[in-house]
């Protein structure tokens, strides 16, 4: 029986390792055959996997199978063993990783080498809550399967096309030269939307498009002709919109005040701004938009209102960065699934000619703009994993071509 080539896609976090398995011989016919995760890393790891129809293939604790609670190499070894046993018609040929930060060096996906890995580790101070786990997964996979090619795909790479004024802080040039600049994140999601939107609406190929990636982590991106012009996240994934537990944009003077008057150090500030703020901090209840929309607590309503206000406010700024606005796209967990949030944001942007059709919005149609809307509004599910799989396939093809040419 002829085996299918399979690509393992990894998105590693602090307490979970999400994975997908794609098959196919080209970017256009790639299909996800398995999605799953190893959750509870550090406490009680659990392995879950579903096929493309959402049928449960596995759901079990990893206790008692020789996997330590924090042993990522053993967890990936278990995953590889499960793939070999359960997906006998496939042959694993490469792994692709979501990497949050590529710095100024990496403007496109690259094949992992010891030198590349060392450079990614050097970027940990720029993304201390994400990068260490991305790197740990790559090291762990290399330990258990050293012959497997690995490809790093960067959330920052898509924004390298931005003009210098979108990337630069008004700081002394020496600090800018050291890498203190606006990088932007969620690039894999935005890259997918940049490719998908013209397929849905070909007239949007060269348009000025505002993409609203709204979820637990949220940002906006201004795209012109499918290229990033500006974005709300900056030096870190903390900037811009208020998020589930992150503050978003804040006056730096507040941080100086908290240090001087409250005696807060770097670790306390990090915990406050990343884990105790945003929707959770304002509401005092939850970081989950669904729970806040269902709540009758006035603080929950204020958290939702502040979120939608900031989305519209920062969206208007990005429209200025593009010199106009031709379309709006909602994506990611909240953007794709919350009709009330989409409606409120659109209402606040009505002065720009944005209006949504209530029925289409409730139905989560692909195009939800009202007939009288001057600006078309779309809901497009993002697919970062497919983007990573496509990049992984492309990097392998480039490597193969280089070897043949040599």
């Amino acid at each position: 029986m002829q085996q299918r080539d399979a690509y393992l896609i990894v998105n590693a976090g602090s307490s979970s390792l999400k994975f997908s398995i794609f098959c196919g011989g080209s970017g256009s016919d790639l299909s996800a055959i398995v999605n799953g995760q190893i959750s509870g890393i550090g406490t009680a790891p659990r392995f879950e996997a579903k096929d493309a129809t959402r049928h449960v293939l596995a759901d079990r604790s990893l206790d008692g199978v020789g996997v330590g609670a924090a042993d990522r190499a053993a967890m990936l070894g278990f995953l590889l063993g499960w793939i070999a046993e359960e997906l006998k018609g496939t042959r694993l040929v490469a792994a692709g990783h979501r990497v949050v930060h590529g710095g100024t060096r990496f403007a496109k996906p690259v094949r992992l080498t010891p030198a590349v890995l060392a450079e990614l580790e050097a970027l940990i101070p720029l993304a201390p809550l994400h990068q260490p786990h991305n790197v740990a997964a790559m090291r762990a996979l290399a330990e258990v399967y050293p012959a497997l090619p690995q490809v790093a795909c960067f959330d920052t790479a898509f924004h390298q096309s931005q003009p210098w004024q979108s990337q630069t802080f008004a700081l002394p040039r020496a600090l800018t030269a050291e890498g203190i600049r606006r990088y932007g994140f969620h690039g894999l999601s935005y890259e997918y939307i940049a490719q998908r939107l013209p397929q849905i609406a070909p007239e949007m190929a060269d348009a000025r498009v505002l993409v609203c990636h709204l979820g637990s982590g949220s940002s906006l991106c201004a795209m012109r002709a499918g290229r990033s012009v500006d974005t709300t996240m900056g030096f870190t994934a903390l900037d811009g919109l208020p998020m589930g537990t992150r503050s978003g944009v804040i006056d730096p003077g507040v941080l100086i005040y908290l240090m001087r008057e409250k005696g807060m150090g770097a670790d306390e500030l990090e915990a406050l701004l990343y884990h105790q703020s945003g929707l959770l901090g304002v509401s005092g209840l939850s970081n989950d938009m669904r729970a806040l929309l269902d709540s009758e607590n006035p603080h929950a309503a204020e958290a939702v209102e502040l979120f939608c206000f900031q989305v519209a406010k920062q969206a208007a700024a990005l429209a200025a960065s593009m010199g106009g606005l031709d379309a709006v796209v909602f994506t990611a967990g909240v953007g794709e699934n919350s009709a009330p949030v989409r409606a409120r944001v659109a209402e606040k942007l009505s002065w720009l000619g944005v209006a949504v059709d209530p029925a289409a919005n409730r139905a989560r149609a692909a195009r939800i703009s009202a007939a009288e809307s001057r600006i078309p509004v779309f809901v497009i599910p993002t697919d970062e994993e497919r983007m990573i799989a496509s990049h992984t396939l492309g990097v392998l093809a480039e490597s193969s071509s280089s070897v043949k040419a040599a």
Side-chain angles (χ1 to χ4, degrees), residues 101-113:
H101 218 302
T104 57
R105 162 87 162 77
F106 298 107
K108 62 180 182 179
V110 296
R111 185 162 176 170
L112 200 67
T113 65

Side-chain angles (χ1 to χ4, degrees), residues 87 101 178 217 237 249 290-291 305 368:
L87 306 177
H101 218 302
E178 290 178 13
V249 65
R290 294 166 298 185
E305 173 59 21
I368 62 171

Side-chain angles (χ1 to χ4, degrees), residues 261-318:
E261 302 300 323
K262 300 293 185 181
M264 286 190 171
D267 291 343
E268 291 173 290
L269 285 174
E270 185 174 82
L272 171 69
L273 298 175
Y274 275 98
H275 301 299
Q276 300 164 14
S277 300
L279 296 177
L280 175 63
V282 176
S283 71
L285 297 173
S286 176
N287 65 337
D288 189 322
M289 181 63 76
R290 294 166 298 185
L292 297 179
L293 287 168
D294 290 340
S295 175
E296 296 181 0
N297 188 304
H299 292 167
E302 288 178 355
V304 175
E305 173 59 21
L306 180 60
F307 178 81
C308 295
F309 170 79
Q310 284 291 341
V311 171
K313 176 182 176 179
Q314 296 183 42
L318 293 192

Side-chain angles (χ1 to χ4, degrees), residues 27-240:
S28 60
D29 67 2
L30 279 169
S31 59
I33 61 170
V34 174
N35 291 286
Q37 67 173 342
I38 299 173
S39 58
I41 296 175
T43 53
R46 187 170 195 86
F47 178 79
E48 303 164 68
K50 296 179 180 179
D51 66 15
T53 67
R54 309 299 296 169
H55 172 72
V56 175
L57 301 175
D59 186 358
R60 59 168 297 178
S61 168
L62 294 185
D63 290 343
V65 294
V67 175
D71 190 343
R72 293 174 181 268
M75 292 173 193
L76 284 163
F78 177 88
L79 171 59
L80 294 174
W82 182 85
I83 293 171
E85 179 65 26
E86 299 295 328
L87 306 177
K88 289 187 169 62
T90 64
R91 178 185 61 181
L92 195 61
V93 296
H97 296 263
R98 179 190 181 193
V99 181
V100 167
H101 218 302
T104 57
R105 162 87 162 77
F106 298 107
K108 62 180 182 179
V110 296
R111 185 162 176 170
L112 200 67
T113 65
V116 168
L117 195 53
E119 291 188 67
L120 298 184
E121 286 183 323
L123 294 172
I124 285 176
L126 300 184
L129 300 187
H130 300 89
Q131 196 87 349
H133 310 298
N134 302 157
V135 171
M138 291 184 278
R139 284 204 176 279
L141 190 55
E143 179 182 331
V144 297
Y145 197 162
L148 185 70
Q150 298 189 64
V151 174
C153 303
F154 304 99
D155 256 343
T156 51
F158 183 69
H159 302 295
Q160 294 262 6
S161 61
Q162 292 181 0
W164 71 269
Q165 58 267 44
S166 293
Q167 300 180 3
T168 306
F169 292 117
L171 290 171
R173 287 183 176 272
L175 292 174
T176 302
E178 290 178 13
I180 299 179
R181 45 157 282 190
R182 296 177 56 82
Y183 290 97
F185 299 89
H186 292 143
L188 291 163
S189 174
Y190 292 129
E191 186 178 10
Y192 177 80
I193 298 300
Q195 294 184 9
R196 183 73 181 119
L197 178 60
Q199 296 172 354
I200 296 172
E203 70 277 12
M204 293 291 115
D206 296 319
R208 297 164 297 185
V209 180
L210 171 72
V211 184
C212 305
H213 178 107
L214 308 180
S216 180
S218 296
S219 68
L220 308 176
C221 182
M223 298 193 313
R224 185 187 295 130
R227 293 167 62 84
S228 178
V229 173
D230 200 355
T231 189
T232 53
M233 284 182 171
F235 181 66
T236 69
L238 182 63
D239 198 8

